[in-house]
Amino acid sequence: MLSRLLKVAAVALAFLGPRGGGEGAAEVTVLSAWARATPGPTAAAYLELRNDGGEADRLIGASSPLAERIEFHAHRMADGVMSMAAVPEIALPPGETVRLRPGELHFMLFRIAHALRPGDRFPLTLTFERAGTVTIEAVTAGPGAVQPPS
Ligand SMILES: [Cu+2]
């Protein structure tokens, strides 16, 4: 009796499939990746992550041949002083767009290989828990820019 129940359950799961009922595949779109020009050795980068999937996803890693290491940073206010703190991951709720921008969440690129000048482009590889790994290109805006170059 139990084995028969398990078989029925297995068939039901197979029927739902990866795009069926509750199991929607995570699909994350990366939009307008950019960085601020800097002489180095540390740079800040920003982008938008749109989760078009039906499930929550998480950005769990970022790398670039330009940088020795990339951290995710959040700003926080403590005793009236704004400071940055590394966060281990960035949550991507289904159907939502998470925006990394100056003064908020951002990427911190450490020990960049060369100064970043306006117009410079460099690859960024992002690793998502569900959506896997994607490499996109970031473009560099001016040193004090608050939005991506047009
Ligand atoms: Cu930072």
Side-chain angles (χ1 to χ4, degrees):
M1 181 62 189
L2 182 58
S3 73
R4 188 186 152 81
L5 275 179
L6 286 175
K7 249 181 229 165
V8 170
V11 169
L13 282 176
F15 188 72
L16 282 174
R19 284 190 171 267
E23 264 258 319
E27 291 169 24
V28 176
T29 304
V30 183
L31 300 157
S32 40
W34 64 286
R36 273 181 175 167
T38 176
T42 304
Y46 315 94
L47 44 70
E48 296 183 6
L49 301 167
R50 194 179 71 210
N51 184 355
D52 297 314
E55 298 284 331
D57 205 341
R58 297 186 299 162
L59 178 64
I60 53 176
S63 65
S64 171
L66 177 70
E68 207 173 275
R69 183 174 97 255
I70 298 180
E71 289 182 359
F72 311 142
H73 278 190
H75 281 260
R76 67 179 171 205
M77 188 74 88
D79 299 326
V81 178
M82 186 71 92
S83 64
M84 294 191 297
V87 294
E89 59 185 41
I90 295 174
L92 306 171
E96 290 189 19
T97 299
V98 174
R99 295 178 174 84
L100 283 72
R101 49 191 171 192
E104 299 178 26
L105 270 178
H106 57 278
F107 286 178
M108 214 78 206
L109 287 68
F110 292 95
R111 290 181 173 269
I112 58 175
H114 57 80
L116 275 181
R117 299 167 186 276
D120 282 355
R121 292 172 178 274
F122 61 92
L124 267 178
T125 298
L126 310 179
T127 303
F128 300 94
E129 185 181 48
R130 291 173 62 88
T133 295
V134 62
T135 297
I136 46 96
E137 189 176 63
V139 63
T140 306
V146 293
Q147 56 188 12
S150 45

